C-alpha cells in the first residue's frame, strides 16, 4: 500500500480538497484503487454539531456519518461511497486513546501525544486502507501547516514516511502564489516560507501545487523547484478553472500523473478518462439556460449548499442546460415579497435548522404551487411545503412544525417517535441511507426509473401521520414512504407541472455521471 499525503500552506480556502480529489481521479484513471481520507484537526468528534455558516455543509454518508464537506468532493470525483472511517478528527483520535487508557490498555505507561496519539493516527490510516484493499491511501491533512492543532497529524505522517520508505509515500504541498503590483509579478515568498515550515516538521515535499489566478511563469516554476528541492516536473500550477471538474486535466497536462506514478514506482493497470472528458464536454456545451432560485438562510456562504451546487452541475451536463443559481435569502422574501422570485424558472428550498427564515421558505413554496413554477423541496423544504399546503389548502391556520412552534394547534410536522427521549445533540438524528418505496405511478418513480431507492437522511422531525389522509385528499400525494409506509419521504402536488419534495437529501448522492434524478427533473422542467 502506498500513501499520498496532501498538506496545505499559506492560507485556507485554496481548494486543497479539489486538488486532493483531482489527484485521486488521476490515480484512479490508471486503474488503481484509491482510498481518500480527510483529517480534520478540530476537537469535534464529527462535523455533525458544526454550524454550516462557519464550516460549510455537513455532509452525510451512507452509514450515517456526519463528515466534512470534502468527503462529498471525494465521493463525487472518485464515484465511490465512503464511510465514517474516511474522516479522522482530533476528537475521534483522542476519544479512542482515552478510552484505551481507561480500559487499561496502556497500563503502567505515561500516555503521550508521541507515540500514543501519533500511533493511533497511523493505525487509523493503515486500517482504512487495508479494509478496502487500497493501492493508495490518499490523505488530506486539513488546516494549514504551522497550526498548533495540526502538529500531531504532521508528526504522524512524518513517522509514516519513515516506516514505509521514500518510494511508498508522496508528499504534496499546496500553496498560494499571489500576484503583486502593476506588472503582475508572481510572488514566491509565501510558498518559500510555508515549505520551510513543512520542513521544520520533518517533511520534504515531492510536489508543490501552486494556486493562483494564472499558471506559473516558467521562471517561477524553476525558482519554486530550486528552493523547495523539488524537481521542476513536481511543481504544478493550479490556476483558476472554469469548473472544478477541469482540475484533474489541468494537473495531468503538466505531467503530474506520470511524475506521481514514477515517484511511487507504480505501473498503470489500465487507462480511462473517457467518461470524465465526455461529462466535461456536455457541461461546457449547454443548449439553453435556466435560472433557479435557491431559497436558503446560509446563502452568504456558498459552501453551505455545495452539494446542491454540484448536483446542479451534474444535472446541467445531463440535460445540456446551463443552470444559473439565484441566491435568495429567505428573510429577504419575508421583507421584500415575492418579486425576488418573479424572474426565475424554478425554485429549490433546501434543508436547514432553526426558525429564522422559515416563513419566507413557506411563502416560496406557495408561490411555486400557485404559479406553476417548477419546485423542489429538500428535508426542511419538504416539511415547509407540507406546512404551507396545510395552511392554504386545508385551512389549518397556525399549522407548523413543533420544531418552530411547540404549541402549534396543528403540528403537521412533529418529532420522530425515537427522538423524544434523545438528550445529546451529536450523531442522534435519523441519519444515513434508508430504503424508500415509491408509488410506481408517481413522477418520482419515473425520474428514478425504480420503485425502491436508497437515499441519505439527516433529520429529527417528520410529517405527522395524523394529517396524511387529509393532506392527500386535498391533493398533496405522499408517493414515497419508508419503514413499511409509516414515514413520509416524497410528496408530489397533483395538477402541478413539477412540484416534488423529499425528506431525504438527493443532492448527497449526486455524481457527475449519475445526477440526482430530482435535481435533473427540476432543471428539465425549468427548461420547458
Ligand atoms: N430541521 C428539520 C429536522 O430536523 C430538517 C432537517 C434538515 O433539513 N436537514 O427534521
Amino acid at each position: 500500500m502506498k500513501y499520498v499525503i496532501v498538506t496545505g500552506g499559506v492560507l485556507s480556502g485554496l481548494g486543497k480538497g479539489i486538488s486532493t480529489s483531482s489527484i485521486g481521479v488521476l490515480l484512479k484513471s490508471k486503474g488503481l484503487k484509491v482510498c481518500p481520507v480527510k483529517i480534520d484537526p478540530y476537537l469535534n468528534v464529527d462535523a455533525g454539531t458544526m454550524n454550516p455558516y462557519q464550516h460549510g455543509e455537513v455532509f452525510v454518508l451512507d452509514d450515517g456519518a456526519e463528515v466534512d464537506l470534502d468527503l462529498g468532493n471525494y465521493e463525487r470525483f472518485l464515484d465511490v461511497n465512503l464511510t465514517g472511517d474516511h474522516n479522522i478528527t482530533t476528537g475521534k483520535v483522542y476519544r479512542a486513546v482515552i478510552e484505551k487508557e481507561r480500559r487499561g490498555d496502556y497500563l503502567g505507561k505515561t500516555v503521550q501525544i508521541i507515540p500514543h496519539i501519533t500511533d493511533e493516527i497511523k493505525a487509523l490510516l493503515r486500517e482504512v486502507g487495508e479494509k478496502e484493499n487500497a493501492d493508495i491511501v490518499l490523505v488530506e491533512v486539513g488546516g494549514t501547516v504551522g497550526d498548533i492543532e495540526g502538529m500531531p497529524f504532521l508528526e504522524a505522517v512524518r513517522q509514516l514516511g519513515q516506516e514505509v520508505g521514500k518510494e511508498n509515500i508522496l508528499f504534496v504541498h499546496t500553496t498560494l502564489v499571489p500576484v503583486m503590483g502593476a506588472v503582475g509579478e508572481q510572488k514566491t515568498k509565501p510558498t518559500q516560507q510555508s515549505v520551510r515550515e513543512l520542513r521544520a516538521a520533518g517533511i520534504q515535499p515531492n510536489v508543490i501545487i501552486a494556486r493562483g489566478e494564472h499558471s506559473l511563469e516558467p521562471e517561477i516554476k524553476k525558482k519554486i523547484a530550486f528552493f523547495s528541492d523539488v524537481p521542476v516536473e513536481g511543481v504544478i500550477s493550479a490556476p483558476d478553472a472554469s469548473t472544478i471538474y477541469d482540475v484533474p486535466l489541468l494537473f495531468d497536462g503538466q505531467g503530474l500523473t506520470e511524475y506521481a506514478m514514477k515517484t511511487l514506482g507504480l505501473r498503470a493497470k489500465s487507462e480511462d478518462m473517457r467518461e470524465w472528458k465526455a461529462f466535461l464536454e456536455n457541461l461546457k456545451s449547454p443548449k439553453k439556460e435556466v435560472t433557479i432560485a435557491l431559497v436558503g438562510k446560509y446563502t452568504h456562504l456558498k459552501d453551505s449548499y455545495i452539494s446542491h451546487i454540484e448536483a446542479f452541475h451534474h444535472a446541467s451536463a445531463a440535460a445540456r442546460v446551463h443552470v444559473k443559481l439565484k441566491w435568495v435569502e429567505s428573510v429577504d422574501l419575508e421583507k421584500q415579497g415575492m418579486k425576488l422570485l418573479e424572474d426565475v424558472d424554478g425554485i429549490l428550498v433546501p434543508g436547514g435548522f432553526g426558525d429564522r427564515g422559515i416563513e419566507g421558505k413557506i411563502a416560496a413554496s406557495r408561490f411555486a404551487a400557485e404559479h406553476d413554477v417548477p419546485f423542489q423541496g429538500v428535508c426542511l423544504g419538504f416539511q415547509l411545503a407540507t406546512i404551507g399546503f396545510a395552511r392554504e389548502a386545508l385551512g389549518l391556520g397556525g399549522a407548523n412544525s413543533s420544531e418552530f412552534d411547540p404549541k402549534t394547534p396543528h403540528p403537521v410536522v412533529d418529532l420522530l417517535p425515537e427522538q423524544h427521549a434523545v438528550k445529546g445533540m451529536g450523531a442522534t438524528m435519523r441519519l444515513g441511507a434508508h430504503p424508500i418505496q415509491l408509488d410506481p405511478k408517481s413522477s418520482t418513480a419515473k425520474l428514478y426509473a425504480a420503485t425502491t431507492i436508497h437515499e441519505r437522511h439527516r433529520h429529527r422531525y417528520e410529517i405527522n401521520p395524523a394529517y396524511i389522509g387529509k393532506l392527500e385528499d386535498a391533493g398533496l400525494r405522499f408517493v414515497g414512504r419508508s419503514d413499511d409506509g409509516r414515514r413520509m419521504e416524497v410528496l408530489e402536488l397533483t395538477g402541478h407541472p413539477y412540484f416534488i419534495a423529499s425528506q431525504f437529501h438527493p443532492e448527497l448522492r449526486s455524481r457527475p455521471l449519475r445526477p440526482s434524478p430530482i435535481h435533473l427533473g427540476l432543471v428539465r422542467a425549468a427548461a420547458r
Side-chain angles (χ1 to χ4, degrees):
M1 213 160 58
K2 313 257 177 181
Y3 294 87
V4 175
I5 312 287
V6 183
T7 53
V10 187
L11 44 89
S12 62
L14 293 180
K16 190 160 28 124
I18 298 303
S19 293
T20 306
S21 305
S22 300
I23 294 170
V25 168
L26 296 175
L27 295 170
K28 187 186 166 194
S29 79
K30 298 289 177 188
L32 300 166
K33 182 141 204 282
V34 180
C35 167
V37 180
K38 174 77 195 285
I39 287 177
D40 283 308
Y42 45 67
L43 277 162
N44 305 58
V45 170
D46 62 38
T49 52
M50 286 161 62
N51 185 342
Y53 214 58
Q54 281 180 21
H55 236 270
E57 168 189 281
V58 177
F59 197 74
V60 184
L61 302 173
D62 278 350
D63 66 355
E66 298 169 282
V67 295
D68 185 81
L69 59 82
D70 275 319
L71 281 274
N73 288 322
Y74 305 160
E75 285 202 338
R76 291 185 281 266
F77 273 65
L78 294 169
D79 197 12
V80 288
N81 292 317
L82 302 174
T83 64
D85 295 343
H86 294 256
N87 196 184
I88 300 176
T89 65
T90 300
K92 219 186 238 180
V93 174
Y94 274 72
R95 185 162 79 172
V97 170
I98 290 169
E99 273 168 13
K100 283 185 190 165
E101 187 277 329
R102 292 290 83 186
R103 258 200 327 260
D105 291 9
Y106 309 112
L107 216 52
K109 296 211 181 77
T110 310
V111 182
Q112 293 180 299
I113 294 180
I114 305 170
H116 300 99
I117 293 292
T118 48
D119 280 353
E120 184 70 26
I121 296 166
K122 285 182 288 177
L124 288 173
L125 292 175
R126 221 175 262 127
E127 277 161 24
V128 61
E130 275 163 10
K131 197 150 101 191
E132 296 186 2
N133 228 337
D135 296 309
I136 295 161
V137 182
L138 171 61
V139 185
E140 176 184 351
V141 184
T144 306
V145 168
D147 295 348
I148 290 179
E149 298 185 310
M151 298 290 191
F153 293 103
L154 287 183
E155 171 59 14
V157 294
R158 181 197 70 78
Q159 293 172 15
L160 189 66
Q162 272 241 314
E163 287 165 23
V164 301
K166 267 195 166 49
E167 63 288 3
N168 293 316
I169 194 160
L170 186 83
F171 286 103
V172 179
H173 190 55
T174 59
T175 72
L176 173 71
V177 176
V179 168
M180 292 298 289
V183 282
E185 196 190 344
Q186 294 179 324
K187 296 302 225 178
T188 63
K189 189 70 81 191
T191 300
Q192 296 189 37
Q193 282 173 344
S194 118
V195 169
R196 194 179 311 145
E197 190 90 47
L198 187 65
R199 282 177 167 163
I203 296 170
Q204 166 61 41
N206 304 97
V207 176
I208 305 279
I209 293 183
R211 275 287 290 130
E213 202 180 323
H214 302 290
S215 289
L216 296 173
E217 303 293 339
E219 280 317 303
I220 299 294
K221 257 199 185 187
K222 274 192 212 142
K223 189 171 169 188
I224 293 176
F226 177 70
F227 63 67
S228 3
D229 220 350
V230 165
V232 180
E233 69 261 40
V235 181
I236 305 294
S237 300
D240 290 350
S242 66
T243 148
I244 53 172
Y245 300 102
D246 265 338
V247 178
L249 299 174
L250 281 172
F251 287 178
D252 191 50
Q254 297 172 68
L256 176 60
T257 324
E258 234 170 278
Y259 172 72
M261 299 283 287
K262 190 180 74 192
T263 312
L264 288 170
L266 287 165
R267 222 175 298 141
K269 294 185 184 167
S270 59
E271 201 76 46
D272 198 2
M273 284 291 274
R274 267 171 312 175
E275 288 195 327
W276 191 271
K277 287 181 182 160
F279 162 72
L280 264 178
E281 237 161 70
N282 286 339
L283 186 64
K284 290 181 177 177
S285 52
K287 295 194 173 0
K288 247 189 172 173
E289 179 178 284
V290 296
T291 302
I292 291 184
L294 193 150
V295 181
K297 75 165 185 178
Y298 315 111
T299 56
H300 295 293
L301 182 67
K302 307 281 185 278
D303 267 357
S304 306
Y305 300 109
I306 182 170
S307 290
H308 284 293
I309 299 175
E310 295 314 322
F312 281 125
H313 284 143
H314 309 157
S316 190
R320 304 281 293 277
V321 173
H322 179 70
V323 177
K324 226 173 97 194
L325 284 179
K326 176 171 179 178
W327 298 88
V328 178
E329 262 299 307
S330 48
V331 285
D332 291 344
L333 284 180
E334 290 166 15
K335 285 187 231 143
Q336 298 170 37
M338 292 302 125
K339 64 174 190 289
L340 290 171
L341 296 178
E342 266 156 20
D343 57 344
V344 305
D345 306 301
I347 298 173
L348 172 88
V349 178
F353 295 83
D355 63 356
R356 188 173 63 86
I358 60 158
E359 290 303 327
K361 291 180 180 176
I362 292 174
S365 76
R366 291 316 301 158
F367 178 85
E370 284 155 18
H371 295 85
D372 280 354
V373 180
F375 174 84
Q376 179 180 4
V378 173
C379 205
L380 180 64
F382 164 82
Q383 298 171 355
L384 295 177
T386 308
I387 292 167
F389 184 85
R391 288 182 189 170
E392 295 298 322
L394 295 182
L396 300 178
N400 213 327
S401 164
S402 48
E403 177 178 6
F404 310 124
D405 180 3
K407 293 204 198 80
T408 168
H410 303 291
V412 174
V413 177
D414 203 1
L415 263 194
L416 291 162
E418 70 266 28
Q419 292 287 334
H420 283 286
V422 168
K423 297 240 159 55
M425 290 296 246
T428 54
M429 284 186 248
R430 178 172 184 242
L431 291 166
H434 297 278
I436 296 136
Q437 302 303 329
L438 299 175
D439 174 348
K441 292 193 294 291
S442 64
S443 305
T444 311
K446 288 190 193 90
L447 292 171
Y448 276 86
T451 51
T452 303
I453 60 172
H454 291 80
E455 290 282 17
R456 297 177 184 174
H457 299 75
R458 183 171 188 254
H459 63 124
R460 288 186 207 285
Y461 293 81
E462 69 176 350
I463 307 299
N464 186 340
Y467 290 89
I468 305 300
K470 276 190 218 137
L471 290 165
E472 291 213 307
D473 290 345
L476 197 67
R477 292 174 52 238
F478 290 92
V479 298
R481 303 186 183 203
S482 58
D483 290 338
D484 297 324
R486 279 190 302 119
R487 270 192 229 292
M488 302 307 120
E489 292 273 9
V490 187
L491 67 78
E492 290 179 8
L493 183 61
T494 311
H496 190 284
Y498 193 91
F499 194 103
I500 299 182
S502 61
Q503 182 62 72
F504 56 79
H505 292 264
E507 72 278 14
L508 298 178
R509 276 189 154 216
S510 187
R511 302 285 162 82
L513 294 162
R514 278 178 293 112
S516 145
I518 307 182
H519 288 76
L520 179 57
L522 180 70
V523 170
R524 288 207 163 115
R528 272 199 288 274

